[in-house]
Amino acid sequence: MRAPLAVERLGQVNLFTRSLDAELTLQQDVFGARVLRRWGDGPTGSRHALVLIHRTGVETFAPTAPGGAVALRSGGNGPGWDSLQWQVSSLGDAITTLRKHGVRVGEDADGRAFVRSKDMHGLAIGLTDRRAESHDRDLVDRKPNLGSEEHALGLVGGATVKVVAAQPEKAAADLAALVGRETYAVERRHLNMAGHGVRFDDHAVEFVGSATGSRADLAGGHLFERGERIFCLTFTVRDLLAARTFLVGRDVRFEQFGRHSLLLAPVDAGGARIEITDTD
């Protein structure tokens, strides 16, 4: 029996956007993000920021030169969610495990490995065994100091990465077999989606498709226009009505789907869809 890929935690979800400053404003003002690191604007022609939104790391890439690597990549795919990065204990062991499962793996000059989205039903995966920011993220699990206030959105738990896939059930089964975990199935009736996912300790990956096969709904339109790719990042809140009131007060545009889901307009989220829900 092939050993599973041991995923320790979600390192971050990667986002390509046109303006780093505008995206950081949204992440900090609306989601209460803590900036862990900012860098770039060198030969790569890009600026970067790594933030923590509740328990989820988000790394944002923004081009500063039209011919740079980030500009070329975001220009080809458009702005939006690009990939996720998993932290593993040993990169070498992880690469060996992936190849034993028949998954093609690439490596870059910075000592990271990656799996392309076309080989994982729309989910692009980066792998690293570095832990530079891990200690700071663990602070989130500590109880707040006496008198401290929770952020107005009331974020709870880990995020869910929703990926539009042509065959969501098969995609989830393939991922579950790779990481040695169980799958779950769910109907997202408010979004007219059928979902199949895998839960990890600090996040979930859910492959979704149109419940009716129509190109006119969110999943069907996304698949037709952009192919298999991350559709949105979903954050759970304690009280959706309170979160809605907070967003209105910040002049953040959103669409409401049913009683339990808000989708921020991509134009207000750097080209990336963000869902807020009070149910998993």
Side-chain angles (χ1 to χ4, degrees):
M1 180 179 293
R2 293 171 297 184
L5 175 67
V7 178
E8 289 192 338
R9 70 195 306 173
L10 174 65
Q12 70 226 24
V13 185
N14 297 317
L15 168 65
F16 282 79
T17 189
R18 293 188 177 95
S19 171
L20 182 64
D21 293 335
E23 183 62 30
L24 283 179
T25 296
L26 172 77
Q27 293 170 356
Q28 291 178 285
D29 291 355
V30 176
F31 290 93
R34 291 193 293 120
V35 179
L36 301 181
R37 187 157 57 101
R38 295 181 66 159
W39 71 103
D41 211 11
T44 59
S46 60
R47 297 169 64 206
H48 308 247
L50 177 63
V51 309
L52 189 65
I53 299 177
H54 190 52
R55 298 180 180 179
T56 301
V58 174
E59 183 172 335
T60 302
F61 301 76
T64 58
V70 169
L72 293 174
R73 183 166 179 176
S74 59
N77 295 327
W81 300 110
D82 178 76
S83 56
L84 58 77
Q85 181 172 281
W86 280 336
Q87 184 175 303
V88 295
S89 60
S90 167
L91 187 61
D93 290 348
I95 292 172
T96 299
T97 298
L98 285 164
R99 289 175 175 162
K100 285 183 177 178
H101 280 264
V103 178
R104 293 183 295 179
V105 187
E107 298 178 64
D108 63 20
D110 293 325
R112 292 184 296 258
F114 57 88
V115 176
R116 298 188 186 279
S117 60
K118 64 182 179 180
D119 294 332
M120 198 56 68
H121 303 277
L123 179 65
I125 303 169
L127 299 162
T128 183
D129 51 14
R130 299 176 183 175
R131 293 172 172 77
E133 283 84 23
S134 295
H135 66 283
D136 198 14
R137 297 181 190 192
D138 290 338
L139 295 176
V140 178
D141 295 326
R142 297 182 183 177
K143 294 182 179 180
N145 295 327
L146 184 65
S148 67
E149 296 181 359
E150 182 185 65
H151 186 265
L153 275 181
L155 298 171
V156 295
T160 296
V161 181
K162 287 190 170 77
V163 185
V164 166
Q167 298 177 285
E169 186 172 4
K170 183 179 187 307
D174 288 348
L175 181 61
L178 175 63
V179 299
R181 293 175 181 258
E182 299 295 322
T183 63
Y184 67 86
V186 63
E187 290 185 38
R188 305 292 184 193
R189 294 181 180 178
H190 56 290
L191 299 173
N192 196 33
M193 293 179 184
H196 297 267
V198 178
R199 299 189 194 281
F200 297 83
D201 295 340
D202 61 350
H203 69 291
V205 174
E206 183 176 309
F207 295 93
V208 297
S210 169
T212 61
S214 172
R215 293 181 180 179
D217 60 26
L218 289 168
H222 183 98
L223 183 63
F224 176 70
E225 294 172 6
R226 310 196 74 178
E228 294 184 310
R229 187 179 176 185
I230 296 177
F231 172 76
C232 74
L233 192 60
T234 299
F235 291 102
T236 304
V237 297
R238 286 196 178 90
D239 186 332
L240 191 65
L241 179 58
R244 187 183 189 280
T245 300
F246 173 76
L247 293 175
V248 170
R250 287 290 192 276
D251 293 325
V252 176
R253 286 169 287 182
F254 57 83
E255 297 175 271
Q256 183 151 1
F257 289 85
R259 297 167 53 190
H260 299 287
S261 173
L262 303 176
L263 272 178
L264 272 63
V267 68
D268 284 343
R273 283 191 175 94
I274 296 176
E275 181 188 21
I276 298 173
T277 182
D278 61 359
T279 180
D280 62 2

